Amino acid sequence: MSYFSLSRWLGIVAKEFIQLRRDRLTFGMIVGIPVVQLVLFGYAINSDPKHLPTAVLSADRSEFTRSILSGLKNSEYFSFVGEARDEREADRMLATGKVQFVVTIPQDFTRALMRGERPALLLEADATDPSATSNALSAINQLAQTALVHDLVGPMAVLGASPTAFEVRVHPRYNPEAITQYNIVPGLMGVILTMTMVLMTGLAITRETERGTMENLLATPATPLEVMTGKIVPYVMIGLVQVSLILGLARGLFGVPMIGNIGVLYLAVLLFIAANLTLGLTFSALAQNQLQAMQMTFFFFLPSMLLSGFMFPFRGMPGWAQTVGEVLPLTHFLRIVRGVLLKGNGFSEIGSEAWPIALFMLVVTVIGLRFFKSTLD
Amino acid sequence: MAANGADLVIDVHGLNKHFGAHHVVKDLALTVRRGEIFGFLGPNGSGKTTTIRMLCGLLTPDSGEGTCLGYDILREPREIKRHVGYMTQRFSFWEDLTIRENLAFVARMYGMPERKARVEQALTHLGLADRATQLAGALSGGWKQRLALAACLLHEPDLLLLDEPTAGVDPKARREFWEELHALSARGITVLVSTHYMDEAERCHKLAYILSGTMLAQGTADEVIASQALVTWAVRGGDLASLAVTLRELSAVEQVAAFGTALHVTGSEADALRQSLAPFMNDPALQWQEVAPSLEDVFIHLMNRAQATGPVVAH
């Protein structure tokens, strides 16, 4: 007996390849994961987001203000999507996340400018995610110097000289000190819930099938509804415990502000947990064993992390990636959590983020029911 | 029990089940009387498990009809589940629950009154009262099987469906298990049990033999043996190994099987067999004796005949 027989060793290698080829899902992961990661990291992720939606609240219109706005636009960081009628509307646009910035041009801006009084322009930013706004905010100061170069000619050229003809007062809202944790910690809540809820339910059901105990369970008078809901409820509770734990730590360790109503947040959490649990159940109906349920969870988790706006600014992604991101419940949940905690959002602001999660849940439930077997057929 | 269930606990006919292209159970009919121990035999993949699952509502037959405990197998699977104890082929209780927890869970699933007392009673009866807090996964094969039986009996079913309950269990535990089954039968509980073991088949009141989803024989052991009208000769002495090779070539000989120091030579036509064996019977080194064919001879005969007449796909 030799210690290393080449033919014996080749036999082991060959057997491994045969088994790999038969395990389609693993094979899919071997090919799929690098491709997905490459595409997401290569094309979708951009840490220098541009064309951020901006609203204008203008109390003064002139050649100068037009020049300033077009200067903002030309910087490529700002993209004007609408005009706010009043301050309340502007506030709401920021709160619901419809816009990232609001530019406010005060009354008599032009007159003050021409008098050389160096009037101030207000730029309010939704700074919940500091990385989404930081580059745009540093670009704006440049702008003050160059925007009016073409307008301030002749006798007015003197206004263009240093110090600048007008001043930009930046007002970063919701997270004025640009503390990254304020953004990441509430976000983590969604990420952790996605991971545990989808995986745990996926495993809970496939475990019974894999161990043969499902047959026993189905042979008792227990109905499928009892089995499914009975198996889910413990995980709903686990999810709520996780949320409370994260919120407690976010407050205690990181001092994350909690401006909004916690009750509203918990309702949103319940919806989000429900969506993830139905996905886990559907995975378990599709998966043959626990390993497959885990692989499916991973396939779902990866884009959720990358495309939801958790790791990278959502608005930095190209259109197709944003579309994919809009489908994911995590994307909407992140907006809800950050909105409630940092902006003090209530029901009226989070409604537009809640229905996509509910819709996702509905579609996944329909798919799951199609595949779930109440008998062993 | 429903009124029409007078004496027939299982009464089904025309049962069919397909899995994809496989026709697993074909026009199966089965009648089992109250208090009978009914043996369900057949090779692996012959459709025994599928039939049992159809009887207890775990699978829906593609066609066919009938009753189990007087309840319609198509329309009342939930009522059937309530009154049937089903023991799966593979141990299917929760290995990460303790013995007591497993029993308590089953008791709740059947909505039993006085759960605690019934569970303790079952534990004592099992002889596991002092090990009740052990995980079920830590039990040996024989104990797992006893636990499974106890759990199946907890809700006092009228019918037990046992799918190869004694696979991998030692002879002593097997004998105790069968004694328990006979005690249950004496109390009026009907038992349908599938098995591969011939000694177990002989302990049943009635038998059915199924092959490739088709029922080939049904009745008491004697009836099943008689129905095939086989003739078996036992031969001793001489070089039995080479004799076996020679005898297998004879057209009237269907089976030659070694039993210890004897060969059993079986055929279905008595005269033809005697004629073929005549030259060997004159050999003074060999002692010939006509014996009763065994159940095993009959089952192998049934298998061979099915193979000769039609394709048999074992899967």
Side-chain angles (χ1 to χ4, degrees):
Chain A
M1 282 284 281
S2 60
Y3 281 103
F4 194 93
S5 144
L6 188 65
S7 86
R8 212 156 50 207
W9 180 78
L10 282 175
I12 294 168
V13 171
K15 168 191 146 288
E16 208 58 36
F17 270 117
I18 293 170
Q19 288 179 313
L20 265 180
R21 207 183 55 208
R22 302 259 154 84
D23 184 358
R24 293 226 199 100
L25 208 61
T26 301
F27 199 74
M29 272 186 94
I30 292 169
V31 179
I33 295 290
V35 171
V36 170
Q37 291 211 349
L38 211 63
V39 169
L40 294 189
F41 277 102
Y43 292 111
I45 287 159
N46 175 7
S47 50
D48 183 20
K50 293 191 171 164
H51 306 289
L52 299 167
T54 307
V56 183
L57 176 59
S58 182
D60 185 14
R61 279 159 218 270
S62 69
E63 219 169 299
F64 295 120
T65 63
R66 262 194 301 280
S67 288
I68 292 169
L69 292 182
S70 78
L72 283 170
K73 199 174 161 208
N74 289 340
S75 75
E76 294 205 329
Y77 281 106
F78 304 90
S79 163
F80 293 103
V81 294
E83 229 170 283
R85 278 188 306 273
D86 51 29
E87 228 167 288
R88 264 194 64 211
E89 196 187 352
D91 264 358
R92 191 175 164 81
M93 287 167 121
L94 274 179
T96 55
K98 209 178 147 209
V99 296
Q100 190 90 34
F101 298 103
V102 172
V103 179
T104 307
I105 300 170
Q107 242 173 345
D108 297 334
F109 178 81
T110 308
R111 191 163 0 139
L113 181 85
M114 287 169 69
R115 284 184 187 157
E117 287 169 359
R118 296 198 68 237
L121 194 85
L122 181 64
L123 181 74
E124 286 172 290
D126 172 355
T128 35
D129 183 358
S131 63
T133 46
S134 60
N135 284 355
L137 293 182
S138 58
I140 192 112
N141 289 319
Q142 278 277 315
L143 199 85
Q145 294 173 0
T146 54
L148 296 178
V149 163
H150 299 290
D151 296 290
L152 298 173
V153 289
M156 285 199 288
V158 65
L159 295 175
S162 183
T164 50
F166 65 98
E167 152 185 28
V168 179
R169 206 167 287 153
V170 175
H171 185 182
R173 304 269 304 264
Y174 312 126
N175 182 5
E177 290 151 272
I179 297 170
T180 315
Q181 280 90 333
Y182 286 9
N183 183 51
I184 293 289
V185 173
L188 261 176
M189 191 156 96
V191 171
I192 290 167
L193 280 180
T194 302
M195 191 64 202
T196 49
M197 292 299 106
V198 176
L199 188 63
M200 282 201 175
T201 33
L203 292 186
I205 309 265
T206 46
R207 187 166 52 227
E208 300 261 8
T209 323
E210 205 176 313
R211 295 184 182 171
T213 50
M214 188 55 110
E215 184 174 3
N216 204 333
L217 205 51
L218 293 176
T220 71
T223 63
L225 184 72
E226 287 165 355
V227 175
M228 291 296 110
T229 52
K231 288 192 76 79
I232 283 185
V233 163
Y235 297 103
V236 174
M237 293 178 186
I238 290 175
L240 291 175
V241 169
Q242 284 183 327
V243 166
S244 308
L245 198 67
I246 297 169
L247 284 178
L249 291 176
R251 188 76 186 253
L253 295 182
F254 300 102
V256 173
M258 292 174 192
I259 297 166
N261 186 328
I262 295 299
V264 174
L265 183 64
Y266 269 92
L267 278 178
V269 164
L270 274 179
L271 175 69
F272 183 64
I273 288 176
N276 281 310
L277 291 181
T278 46
L279 185 69
L281 276 184
T282 300
F283 282 168
S284 72
L286 296 170
Q288 311 285 324
N289 51 46
Q290 296 190 66
L291 177 67
Q292 286 191 1
M294 265 174 91
Q295 287 172 325
M296 288 182 188
T297 306
F298 191 71
F299 266 130
F300 175 74
F301 190 62
L302 186 65
S304 285
M305 286 273 285
L306 298 179
L307 299 183
S308 62
F310 171 69
M311 285 182 94
F312 308 97
F314 188 82
R315 291 195 169 109
M317 303 191 300
W320 64 265
Q322 290 197 17
T323 309
V324 176
E326 292 287 357
V327 173
L328 302 169
L330 182 59
T331 308
H332 302 281
F333 184 66
L334 290 183
R335 293 177 192 159
I336 293 176
V337 181
R338 290 169 181 170
V340 172
L341 291 184
L342 304 180
K343 302 178 181 178
N345 282 355
F347 280 121
S348 65
E349 285 91 1
I350 65 170
S352 60
E353 302 296 343
W355 71 261
I357 300 180
L359 180 67
F360 177 90
M361 191 166 101
L362 189 73
V363 172
V364 168
T365 308
V366 169
I367 297 172
L369 285 179
R370 257 186 63 94
F371 286 95
F372 181 74
K373 304 157 216 120
S374 62
T375 56
L376 293 168
D377 289 85
Chain B
M1 256 183 76
N4 67 340
D7 215 23
L8 290 181
V9 170
I10 298 176
D11 182 16
V12 294
H13 40 92
L15 287 192
N16 278 290
K17 184 71 191 176
H18 296 80
F19 288 130
H22 290 304
H23 196 172
V24 184
V25 171
K26 297 167 191 160
D27 285 326
L28 189 117
L30 191 66
T31 49
V32 178
R33 288 178 188 284
R34 169 179 297 277
E36 268 179 357
I37 298 184
F38 192 97
F40 205 32
L41 291 104
N44 291 331
S46 56
K48 298 190 298 286
T49 301
T50 306
T51 305
I52 291 177
R53 285 176 175 171
M54 284 195 284
L55 290 175
C56 66
L58 277 175
L59 287 176
T60 320
D62 296 335
S63 64
E65 55 179 6
T67 57
C68 189
L69 293 166
Y71 299 109
D72 190 290
I73 57 161
L74 290 172
R75 285 182 286 112
E76 300 170 294
R78 295 207 58 215
E79 285 305 317
I80 293 175
K81 285 177 184 179
R82 219 173 265 288
H83 297 97
V84 164
Y86 169 47
M87 186 167 154
T88 53
Q89 195 167 351
R90 194 176 135 194
F91 181 72
S92 63
F93 287 87
W94 290 267
E95 302 208 340
D96 45 1
L97 294 187
T98 66
I99 294 162
R100 183 182 279 122
E101 284 164 350
N102 265 301
L103 292 174
F105 177 71
V106 171
R108 293 188 85 143
M109 285 298 101
Y110 287 93
M112 288 167 38
E114 297 165 45
R115 287 197 304 268
K116 265 208 158 125
R118 307 267 286 264
V119 166
E120 293 311 316
Q121 212 178 332
L123 282 170
T124 315
H125 180 75
L126 254 178
L128 281 176
D130 50 338
R131 293 168 69 184
T133 51
Q134 268 185 24
L135 294 185
L139 291 173
S140 68
W143 278 109
K144 275 184 183 167
Q145 175 235 34
R146 295 190 64 179
L147 169 63
L149 182 65
C152 289
L153 287 170
L154 204 58
H155 63 290
E156 296 177 348
D158 301 311
L159 168 67
L160 271 181
L161 300 173
L162 311 174
D163 195 1
E164 293 185 21
T166 54
V169 173
D170 67 53
K172 183 168 175 284
R174 225 148 56 92
R175 172 163 291 185
E176 285 168 5
F177 184 76
W178 275 88
E179 272 161 20
E180 171 94 32
L181 290 192
H182 275 277
L184 290 169
S185 154
R187 274 162 45 199
I189 296 174
T190 314
V191 180
L192 177 80
V193 52
S194 77
T195 179
H196 283 302
Y197 299 112
M198 289 304 136
D199 62 313
E200 292 188 351
E202 282 161 358
R203 286 170 198 251
C204 297
H205 299 127
K206 287 263 185 67
L207 295 174
Y209 187 80
I210 179 175
L211 182 71
S212 304
T214 309
M215 183 77 81
L216 294 182
Q218 204 173 152
T220 63
D222 290 342
E223 282 169 5
V224 169
I225 292 172
S227 71
Q228 301 304 314
L230 295 183
V231 181
T232 299
W233 288 86
V235 55
R236 287 189 165 76
D239 178 4
L240 291 179
S242 58
L243 180 66
V245 175
T246 320
L247 291 179
R248 279 197 184 104
E249 295 301 312
L250 301 174
S251 61
V253 173
E254 284 183 11
Q255 302 169 35
V256 179
F259 281 87
T261 58
L263 281 184
H264 281 198
V265 185
T266 305
S268 46
E269 280 167 61
D271 292 342
L273 184 64
R274 185 177 262 282
Q275 268 173 26
S276 304
L277 296 179
F280 302 95
M281 286 181 173
N282 292 330
D283 187 334
L286 303 173
Q287 298 106 48
W288 291 83
Q289 189 191 0
E290 189 171 345
V291 295
S294 68
L295 262 181
E296 188 172 282
D297 295 329
V298 171
F299 291 150
I300 291 173
H301 163 75
L302 286 169
M303 266 179 88
N304 290 342
R305 199 185 57 183
Q307 245 156 10
T309 52
V312 172
V313 190
H315 42 78

